[in-house]
Short mmCIF file of all heavy atoms in Angstrom, two decimals:
data_model
loop_
_atom_site.label_atom_id
_atom_site.label_comp_id
_atom_site.label_asym_id
_atom_site.label_seq_id
_atom_site.Cartn_x
_atom_site.Cartn_y
_atom_site.Cartn_z
N ALA A 1 -2.92 -5.79 2.94
CA ALA A 1 -1.64 -5.14 2.77
C ALA A 1 -1.47 -3.88 3.80
O ALA A 1 -2.46 -3.47 4.26
CB ALA A 1 -1.51 -4.45 1.26
N SER A 2 -0.33 -3.52 4.03
CA SER A 2 -0.12 -2.40 4.95
C SER A 2 1.02 -1.47 4.50
O SER A 2 1.94 -1.89 3.73
CB SER A 2 0.23 -2.98 6.33
OG SER A 2 1.48 -3.61 6.36
N PHE A 3 1.01 -0.38 5.07
CA PHE A 3 2.05 0.76 4.73
C PHE A 3 2.40 1.31 6.04
O PHE A 3 1.62 2.00 6.61
CB PHE A 3 1.46 1.70 3.73
CG PHE A 3 2.49 2.68 3.12
CD1 PHE A 3 2.54 2.63 1.80
CD2 PHE A 3 3.41 3.36 3.85
CE1 PHE A 3 3.56 3.49 1.22
CE2 PHE A 3 4.29 4.21 3.30
CZ PHE A 3 4.44 4.27 1.92
N SER A 4 3.65 1.16 6.44
CA SER A 4 4.13 1.78 7.69
C SER A 4 4.84 3.21 7.31
O SER A 4 5.50 3.31 6.42
CB SER A 4 5.18 0.89 8.31
OG SER A 4 4.73 -0.41 8.75
N ARG A 5 4.37 4.17 8.09
CA ARG A 5 4.79 5.52 7.73
C ARG A 5 6.41 5.68 7.96
O ARG A 5 7.06 6.20 7.02
CB ARG A 5 4.14 6.51 8.72
CG ARG A 5 4.51 8.11 8.55
CD ARG A 5 4.11 8.83 9.68
NE ARG A 5 4.52 10.17 9.52
CZ ARG A 5 4.36 11.20 10.37
NH1 ARG A 5 3.89 10.93 11.51
NH2 ARG A 5 4.89 12.41 10.15
N PHE A 6 6.90 5.26 9.07
CA PHE A 6 8.30 5.34 9.28
C PHE A 6 9.08 4.22 8.45
O PHE A 6 8.91 3.10 8.81
CB PHE A 6 8.61 5.25 10.68
CG PHE A 6 7.96 6.41 11.44
CD1 PHE A 6 6.89 6.15 12.36
CD2 PHE A 6 8.39 7.80 11.31
CE1 PHE A 6 6.25 7.17 12.98
CE2 PHE A 6 7.77 8.79 11.97
CZ PHE A 6 6.63 8.56 12.80
N GLY A 7 9.89 4.54 7.53
CA GLY A 7 10.53 3.62 6.74
C GLY A 7 9.86 3.27 5.43
O GLY A 7 10.50 2.72 4.55
N GLY A 8 8.65 3.49 5.38
CA GLY A 8 7.96 3.25 4.21
C GLY A 8 7.79 1.79 3.84
O GLY A 8 7.62 1.29 2.68
N SER A 9 7.77 0.98 4.94
CA SER A 9 7.68 -0.51 4.83
C SER A 9 6.32 -0.92 4.33
O SER A 9 5.33 -0.46 4.75
CB SER A 9 7.93 -1.21 6.11
OG SER A 9 7.89 -2.50 5.90
N LYS A 10 6.30 -1.70 3.37
CA LYS A 10 5.05 -2.32 2.76
C LYS A 10 5.01 -3.82 2.94
O LYS A 10 5.96 -4.57 2.62
CB LYS A 10 4.86 -2.01 1.21
CG LYS A 10 4.91 -0.46 1.03
CD LYS A 10 4.81 -0.20 -0.48
CE LYS A 10 4.87 1.25 -0.92
NZ LYS A 10 4.81 1.55 -2.38
N VAL A 11 3.85 -4.48 3.34
CA VAL A 11 3.67 -5.72 3.60
C VAL A 11 2.39 -6.20 2.82
O VAL A 11 1.41 -5.61 2.84
CB VAL A 11 3.61 -6.16 5.06
CG1 VAL A 11 3.32 -7.61 5.23
CG2 VAL A 11 4.78 -5.68 5.81
N TYR A 12 2.50 -7.41 2.13
CA TYR A 12 1.37 -7.83 1.46
C TYR A 12 1.08 -9.35 1.86
O TYR A 12 2.01 -10.08 2.12
CB TYR A 12 1.69 -7.90 -0.10
CG TYR A 12 1.83 -6.51 -0.71
CD1 TYR A 12 3.12 -5.94 -0.75
CD2 TYR A 12 0.75 -5.71 -1.04
CE1 TYR A 12 3.28 -4.70 -1.31
CE2 TYR A 12 0.93 -4.55 -1.76
CZ TYR A 12 2.14 -3.96 -1.77
OH TYR A 12 2.34 -2.74 -2.36
N ALA A 13 -0.17 -9.65 1.78
CA ALA A 13 -0.64 -10.94 2.07
C ALA A 13 -0.23 -11.86 0.86
O ALA A 13 -0.11 -11.33 -0.23
CB ALA A 13 -2.21 -11.09 2.29
N ASP A 14 0.17 -13.09 1.18
CA ASP A 14 0.52 -14.03 -0.01
C ASP A 14 -0.40 -14.07 -1.03
O ASP A 14 -0.04 -14.11 -2.27
CB ASP A 14 0.71 -15.39 0.59
CG ASP A 14 2.05 -15.43 1.58
OD1 ASP A 14 2.82 -14.56 1.61
OD2 ASP A 14 2.04 -16.49 2.35
N SER A 15 -1.74 -14.00 -0.78
CA SER A 15 -2.69 -14.08 -1.72
C SER A 15 -2.84 -12.94 -2.76
O SER A 15 -3.33 -13.11 -3.83
CB SER A 15 -4.07 -14.26 -1.09
OG SER A 15 -4.42 -13.14 -0.29
N VAL A 16 -2.19 -11.78 -2.33
CA VAL A 16 -2.27 -10.61 -3.27
C VAL A 16 -0.87 -10.20 -3.71
O VAL A 16 -0.80 -9.28 -4.65
CB VAL A 16 -3.03 -9.62 -2.65
CG1 VAL A 16 -4.41 -9.88 -2.25
CG2 VAL A 16 -2.19 -8.91 -1.38
N ARG A 17 0.17 -10.66 -3.17
CA ARG A 17 1.47 -10.21 -3.51
C ARG A 17 1.76 -10.33 -5.03
O ARG A 17 1.48 -11.27 -5.60
CB ARG A 17 2.50 -10.94 -2.73
CG ARG A 17 4.01 -10.48 -2.85
CD ARG A 17 4.94 -11.21 -1.84
NE ARG A 17 4.71 -10.98 -0.57
CZ ARG A 17 4.16 -11.92 0.27
NH1 ARG A 17 3.93 -13.15 -0.19
NH2 ARG A 17 3.79 -11.64 1.50
N GLY A 18 2.19 -9.27 -5.68
CA GLY A 18 2.56 -9.38 -6.99
C GLY A 18 1.33 -8.84 -7.94
O GLY A 18 1.63 -8.51 -9.05
N ARG A 19 0.21 -8.71 -7.26
CA ARG A 19 -0.99 -8.24 -7.95
C ARG A 19 -1.52 -6.87 -7.45
O ARG A 19 -1.95 -6.06 -8.15
CB ARG A 19 -2.14 -9.28 -7.96
CG ARG A 19 -1.72 -10.49 -8.57
CD ARG A 19 -3.11 -11.44 -8.78
NE ARG A 19 -3.58 -11.80 -7.30
CZ ARG A 19 -4.84 -11.50 -6.95
NH1 ARG A 19 -5.68 -10.77 -7.73
NH2 ARG A 19 -5.22 -11.87 -5.67
N PHE A 20 -1.44 -6.65 -6.12
CA PHE A 20 -1.88 -5.53 -5.41
C PHE A 20 -0.76 -4.57 -5.14
O PHE A 20 0.44 -5.04 -4.67
CB PHE A 20 -2.84 -5.82 -4.23
CG PHE A 20 -4.01 -6.59 -4.43
CD1 PHE A 20 -4.33 -7.04 -5.69
CD2 PHE A 20 -4.87 -6.69 -3.45
CE1 PHE A 20 -5.56 -7.66 -5.86
CE2 PHE A 20 -6.14 -7.30 -3.50
CZ PHE A 20 -6.43 -7.76 -4.82
N THR A 21 -1.04 -3.37 -5.15
CA THR A 21 0.00 -2.25 -4.74
C THR A 21 -0.65 -1.29 -3.79
O THR A 21 -1.59 -0.62 -4.13
CB THR A 21 0.68 -1.58 -5.96
OG1 THR A 21 1.25 -2.60 -6.80
CG2 THR A 21 1.73 -0.69 -5.39
N ILE A 22 -0.08 -1.01 -2.60
CA ILE A 22 -0.60 -0.26 -1.65
C ILE A 22 0.32 1.12 -1.81
O ILE A 22 1.60 1.09 -2.08
CB ILE A 22 -0.45 -0.73 -0.26
CG1 ILE A 22 -1.27 0.31 0.74
CG2 ILE A 22 0.93 -0.87 0.27
CD1 ILE A 22 -1.32 -0.36 2.10
N SER A 23 -0.30 2.32 -1.69
CA SER A 23 0.44 3.68 -1.85
C SER A 23 -0.27 4.69 -0.97
O SER A 23 -1.36 4.47 -0.57
CB SER A 23 0.44 3.93 -3.28
OG SER A 23 -0.81 4.17 -3.79
N ARG A 24 0.46 5.69 -0.76
CA ARG A 24 -0.14 6.90 -0.03
C ARG A 24 0.08 8.12 -0.78
O ARG A 24 1.07 8.26 -1.58
CB ARG A 24 0.83 7.08 1.17
CG ARG A 24 0.69 6.11 2.31
CD ARG A 24 1.78 6.17 3.39
NE ARG A 24 1.82 7.59 3.90
CZ ARG A 24 1.42 7.91 4.99
NH1 ARG A 24 0.68 6.98 5.77
NH2 ARG A 24 1.47 9.17 5.48
N ASP A 25 -0.85 8.98 -0.73
CA ASP A 25 -0.83 10.32 -1.32
C ASP A 25 -0.91 11.37 -0.18
O ASP A 25 -1.95 11.75 0.33
CB ASP A 25 -1.99 10.42 -2.25
CG ASP A 25 -1.90 11.85 -3.08
OD1 ASP A 25 -1.39 12.68 -2.56
OD2 ASP A 25 -2.48 11.86 -4.22
N ASN A 26 0.22 11.79 0.11
CA ASN A 26 0.30 12.78 1.36
C ASN A 26 -0.37 13.98 1.18
O ASN A 26 -0.87 14.59 2.16
CB ASN A 26 1.90 13.02 1.67
CG ASN A 26 2.56 11.78 2.07
OD1 ASN A 26 2.03 10.77 2.69
ND2 ASN A 26 3.82 11.73 1.77
N ALA A 27 -0.41 14.51 0.01
CA ALA A 27 -1.12 15.72 -0.29
C ALA A 27 -2.68 15.66 -0.12
O ALA A 27 -3.26 16.62 0.40
CB ALA A 27 -0.73 16.30 -1.70
N LYS A 28 -3.12 14.38 -0.27
CA LYS A 28 -4.59 14.17 -0.23
C LYS A 28 -5.02 13.53 1.02
O LYS A 28 -6.24 13.16 1.14
CB LYS A 28 -5.08 13.59 -1.57
CG LYS A 28 -4.90 14.23 -2.78
CD LYS A 28 -5.40 13.59 -3.88
CE LYS A 28 -5.28 14.29 -5.20
NZ LYS A 28 -5.89 13.56 -6.44
N ASN A 29 -4.04 13.03 1.77
CA ASN A 29 -4.33 12.31 3.05
C ASN A 29 -5.05 10.98 2.64
O ASN A 29 -6.11 10.74 3.28
CB ASN A 29 -4.97 13.04 4.11
CG ASN A 29 -4.24 14.29 4.60
OD1 ASN A 29 -3.05 14.24 4.66
ND2 ASN A 29 -4.93 15.14 5.06
N THR A 30 -4.63 10.32 1.60
CA THR A 30 -5.33 9.18 1.03
C THR A 30 -4.43 7.93 1.06
O THR A 30 -3.23 8.11 0.53
CB THR A 30 -5.86 9.49 -0.28
OG1 THR A 30 -6.74 10.61 -0.14
CG2 THR A 30 -6.61 8.39 -0.90
N LEU A 31 -4.99 6.86 1.32
CA LEU A 31 -4.34 5.52 1.14
C LEU A 31 -5.03 4.86 0.08
O LEU A 31 -6.32 4.72 0.08
CB LEU A 31 -4.40 4.66 2.50
CG LEU A 31 -3.70 3.48 2.44
CD1 LEU A 31 -2.16 3.48 2.59
CD2 LEU A 31 -4.31 2.50 3.53
N SER A 32 -4.31 4.25 -0.86
CA SER A 32 -4.95 3.60 -2.05
C SER A 32 -4.37 2.14 -2.19
O SER A 32 -3.34 1.82 -1.68
CB SER A 32 -4.59 4.41 -3.33
OG SER A 32 -5.19 5.66 -3.26
N LEU A 33 -5.08 1.39 -2.80
CA LEU A 33 -4.82 0.09 -3.11
C LEU A 33 -5.11 -0.22 -4.66
O LEU A 33 -6.44 -0.27 -5.05
CB LEU A 33 -5.61 -0.98 -2.23
CG LEU A 33 -5.15 -2.41 -2.37
CD1 LEU A 33 -3.84 -2.59 -1.84
CD2 LEU A 33 -6.25 -3.37 -1.69
N LEU A 34 -4.07 -0.50 -5.45
CA LEU A 34 -4.24 -0.81 -6.76
C LEU A 34 -4.36 -2.29 -6.95
O LEU A 34 -3.35 -2.99 -6.51
CB LEU A 34 -3.14 -0.16 -7.61
CG LEU A 34 -2.95 -0.68 -9.11
CD1 LEU A 34 -4.22 -0.24 -9.83
CD2 LEU A 34 -1.72 -0.11 -9.72
N MET A 35 -5.44 -2.80 -7.46
CA MET A 35 -5.65 -4.20 -7.48
C MET A 35 -5.63 -4.62 -9.02
O MET A 35 -6.39 -4.20 -9.83
CB MET A 35 -6.94 -4.65 -6.91
CG MET A 35 -6.98 -4.25 -5.51
SD MET A 35 -8.62 -4.63 -4.75
CE MET A 35 -9.65 -3.30 -5.45
N ASN A 36 -4.64 -5.42 -9.33
CA ASN A 36 -4.56 -5.94 -10.70
C ASN A 36 -4.84 -7.38 -10.83
O ASN A 36 -4.92 -8.13 -9.91
CB ASN A 36 -3.14 -5.70 -11.29
CG ASN A 36 -2.71 -4.19 -11.55
OD1 ASN A 36 -3.54 -3.53 -11.94
ND2 ASN A 36 -1.50 -3.93 -11.10
#
């Protein structure tokens, strides 16, 4: 998965789409991946 800063575009691989969620926490300079 990816997260583009400008525009906030998110892209997921077919194998994880619908199950994984990518996100950013700007205050903590952290990129996360929630895997369900």
Side-chain angles (χ1 to χ4, degrees):
S2 67
F3 195 124
S4 296
R5 180 188 177 192
F6 301 107
S9 178
K10 299 177 181 180
V11 178
Y12 296 93
D14 291 341
S15 60
V16 307
R17 188 175 297 109
R19 296 189 299 122
F20 291 11
T21 302
I22 189 170
S23 63
R24 291 167 54 101
D25 186 329
N26 296 328
K28 298 180 179 180
N29 294 333
T30 301
L31 181 75
S32 297
L33 184 69
L34 169 59
M35 302 177 286
N36 292 320

